[in-house]
Amino acid sequence: MALKDSYLLPAAADMHVHLRNAPGPIAELVTPTIRKAGIDTVFVMPNLAPRPVVTVDEALEYKKALQAYDPEVNYLMSLYLHESITPDEIRKAKKAGIAGVKAYPRGATTNSQWGVVSFDPFHELLSTMESEGLVLNLHGEMPSSPTDNVTVMNAESKFLPTLASLHSKYPNLKIVLEHCTTADAVAAVRACGANVVATITAHHLSLLVDDWSANVHHYCKPSAKSPEDRRALLQALVTSEGKFFLGTDSAPHDISSKKGKGNTAAGVFTQPYALGYVLTALEEGIARGDIKEEQVTEEVLAGFLSEFGRKFYELGPAEKQILVKRDGAVVEESLKTDKVEIVPYRSGEKTWSVEWQ
């Protein structure tokens, strides 16, 4: 076997999750799966509908609703970057413990219709975030545009000059390039200072463009790319040194939104088995020669899955440990109630199990 049969690790921190509206049927179903995955801390995305989370009061109300589903999870809440937010609201957010402000380029992904067209109007807001130490979380894609030759395959690379410009203009602003998918993005993040980092999802460590073009449950934004890009993500994980950490972008959708009429919803649901997907991707990467077996150590896993994200968000270390064991679980065909059905990534396959210690 390329990897050990088990790993004793600190509880994981997932710094990019979608839990949907709460109270609500999807949130009720998926929120209890967070700790099942060995995760005790999550950064919750604010792109709810019909209204995103744009005030501190809304974020705290959302947090309270999630705590009703599982009070043992540490929910890091965020605001949706919007023209209605004022510098005073940013100061209030910092005092209230809000962890970040998420920027969505308008039209780039799910519920981004209220998003950013240009960062220029947000200068005062970004300056306040910089001085207050509040994180800017970037969905790093340009909206698809035939006129500008932007498609899902180059949307991330086309956005990277914007990342560089923001870092240059606000050098002390803490920035996360979320769910990076390309070798270009990895290089861009490494070229920035220590206060610019990136999250990597579990599914982008294994998926390619051919996978999501054939399976709606593999389709997400940003989309999986080439073998070279996947290799760069795996290498970023094992050589992270704090620049890259776990953010699953687990994005649940009812099966009717994935297989119903019209366009399929973008999102891969990985929450209950996130750590197992990462370990499987690493093992597959070793088999292909993308990374070396000796690069995957308990120290590397602990950093990527737990320690690096906590340090960036200025949290303390995990208080509990988890034992992750090979082939100890099987991914359900679907999770469902009488109101909703969600198909998880790699449904029906064996995966690693998690036991709280």
Side-chain angles (χ1 to χ4, degrees), residues 102-118:
K102 179 68 181 291
Y104 293 89
R106 186 171 298 178
T109 190
T110 304
N111 295 338
S112 63
Q113 60 266 40
W114 309 284
V116 174
V117 175
S118 167

Side-chain angles (χ1 to χ4, degrees), residues 37 61 115 119 126 134 147 161 178 182 204 244 248 267 277 350 353:
E61 182 179 355
F119 284 95
L126 294 171
L134 199 60
T147 303
E178 299 288 350
T182 60
H204 285 124
F244 304 92
T248 63
Y277 296 141
K350 285 185 177 181
S353 62

Side-chain angles (χ1 to χ4, degrees), residues 38-58:
I39 295 164
D40 70 358
T41 298
V42 292
F43 185 101
V44 183
M45 292 295 126
N47 59 329
L48 305 184
R51 173 184 168 86
V53 180
V54 296
T55 71
V56 174
D57 290 345
E58 288 171 345

Side-chain angles (χ1 to χ4, degrees), residues 148-161:
D148 297 325
N149 191 33
V150 180
T151 72
V152 294
M153 293 304 292
N154 65 7
E156 182 173 272
S157 295
K158 294 277 190 179
F159 181 85
L160 295 176

